[in-house]
Amino acid sequence: MFSLKKILVVGSANVDFVIGVQQAPELGETILCRSFRKTCGGKGANQAYACGRLGGDTAFLNAVGDDPLGGELVRNLQQANVDTRAIRTVDGVSTGMAVVCVDEKGNNSIIVVPGANNLCDVDYLRRNRARFEESDIVLLQMEIPFESVCYAVELASGLHKTVILNPAPAPDSLPDEVYAGLDYLTPNESEFKRLTGCPTDEVEELAVHCKPLLEKGTRNIIITLGSRGALHVNREGHTLYRPPEVQAVDTTAAGDTFNAALARELADGRSTGEAIVFANMASALAVSRVGAQDSIPSYEEVLDFKKRME
């Protein structure tokens, strides 16, 4: 059963080459890996896939190359009931790729090769204005060209859509007009520190450093803090939502699952607090499993997990 409102995800699509190691190599060090697998990924595609898995009425905008990897990405999204009809296929350009290094504690480091993601440009988004018009919630990240992100925020906010920006990877700064167009800004701790210069991970200090962004017009800031949960800050105050305790195996798609689950619950009319609780549950399930999109739970799995945790 689809969500009541439509979700449009605009972002990257990559094929991930995942390398399992005991620990990440030091500079200049050569190590042997323990495992290797190829999976579909990219923050945009992960979030679109997760929205679909979680029952969101989801469409996706991005570009892939005219190679076998591009076709693999599209077919994978279709299996999650994502509308892929507007995805751009570009001749002579490679599909985006990422090399993901995962250590034995489940921590990861990622190198992204953008490829066709760079052609998710303003002209392409402008030609797909109808997709923005028919959506209710627009979910974005920052693995496509910076100007495309800015344009998409401007277009979606001008159309009075609910706009969620997951600023990953985080730039040094964002234009004031982008902040003004956001209903939700959802950085993790390191991304928030890059955007604001906040020197500490103390909840009270994080909340204080949200104030300049709120003054620029952002309605809600949700900082994901890993095992500590998610901190929601707006003009009314701040609340820390604790997640359930699980054994973390692979954190690769945790943030993407959180953002998708947040969008999916908002699409069904849930309050921000309710949506965060659900998103915490979904991301907890994701980190307890190996893989990116492979680790993303279904809507029914999250509901069942939520019941067992209550």
Side-chain angles (χ1 to χ4, degrees):
M1 181 177 178
F2 279 141
S3 56
L4 296 175
K5 296 181 179 179
K6 293 180 179 293
I7 302 168
L8 175 65
V9 181
V10 183
S12 61
N14 298 320
V15 172
D16 292 344
F17 298 90
V18 185
I19 302 168
V21 297
Q22 181 175 0
Q23 62 183 28
E26 300 289 340
L27 186 65
E29 181 183 13
T30 298
I31 63 173
L32 297 176
C33 74
R34 293 182 166 187
S35 61
F36 172 80
R37 68 183 186 277
K38 183 182 73 172
T39 65
C40 295
K43 289 187 176 298
N46 284 348
Q47 292 180 19
Y49 184 92
C51 282
R53 282 275 291 162
L54 293 166
D57 187 352
T58 309
F60 185 50
L61 291 181
N62 191 260
V64 297
D66 63 336
D67 52 26
L69 296 181
E72 184 177 340
L73 284 169
V74 172
R75 288 190 297 273
N76 192 65
L77 287 166
Q78 290 170 344
Q79 290 175 3
N81 296 313
V82 176
D83 183 348
T84 63
R85 291 175 294 174
I87 291 178
R88 179 184 186 186
T89 300
V90 186
D91 294 342
V93 176
S94 67
T95 296
M97 293 175 281
V99 178
V100 183
C101 183
V102 183
D103 69 20
E104 62 181 2
K105 295 181 180 178
N107 300 311
N108 67 76
S109 56
I110 304 172
I111 300 173
V112 176
V113 182
N117 290 304
N118 283 334
L119 296 174
C120 182
D121 53 26
V122 171
D123 181 64
Y124 163 70
L125 297 180
R126 187 178 290 118
R127 287 187 278 111
N128 283 280
R129 179 187 175 93
R131 292 287 176 167
F132 287 84
E133 292 174 339
E134 66 190 22
S135 69
D136 300 287
I137 295 173
V138 177
L139 175 57
L140 300 138
Q141 323 76 36
M142 304 203 70
E143 288 183 340
I144 59 174
F146 186 80
E147 59 271 19
S148 299
V149 176
C150 295
Y151 174 79
V153 171
E154 178 186 8
L155 176 58
S157 61
L159 292 169
H160 307 291
K161 309 302 180 181
T162 297
V163 184
I164 305 171
L165 174 61
N166 176 218
D172 291 329
S173 63
L174 288 169
D176 287 354
E177 53 268 27
V178 169
Y179 284 119
L182 300 179
D183 294 283
Y184 294 90
L185 180 70
T186 61
N188 65 22
E189 191 175 337
S190 63
E191 291 155 0
F192 181 76
K193 288 181 177 181
R194 187 176 182 89
L195 287 171
T196 65
C198 181
T200 177
D201 60 1
E202 295 297 326
V203 166
E204 296 297 328
E205 285 298 313
L206 291 170
V208 167
H209 278 77
C210 286
K211 290 182 179 179
L213 307 187
L214 296 172
E215 290 171 356
K216 292 179 180 181
T218 301
R219 268 69 76 190
N220 298 274
I221 299 172
I222 301 172
I223 308 171
T224 53
L225 301 172
S227 61
R228 292 195 294 158
L231 176 64
H232 175 219
V233 187
N234 60 21
R235 289 181 178 272
E236 283 69 54
H238 64 273
T239 304
L240 179 64
Y241 292 86
R242 299 282 185 180
E245 292 187 10
V246 296
Q247 179 65 47
V249 175
D250 185 351
T251 62
T252 304
D256 296 330
T257 302
F258 181 95
N259 279 275
L262 178 77
R264 188 262 180 269
E265 289 298 275
L266 293 174
D268 256 1
R270 309 286 189 237
S271 69
T272 298
E274 291 171 327
I276 292 173
V277 169
F278 182 86
N280 273 340
M281 294 288 175
S283 58
L285 277 176
V287 302
S288 69
R289 304 169 176 178
V290 174
Q293 293 178 13
D294 294 341
S295 72
I296 296 168
S298 68
Y299 188 64
E300 291 74 21
E301 286 176 320
V302 180
L303 291 181
D304 180 65
F305 181 58
K306 188 172 182 291
K307 287 179 182 178
R308 287 188 279 116
M309 292 295 104
E310 291 175 348

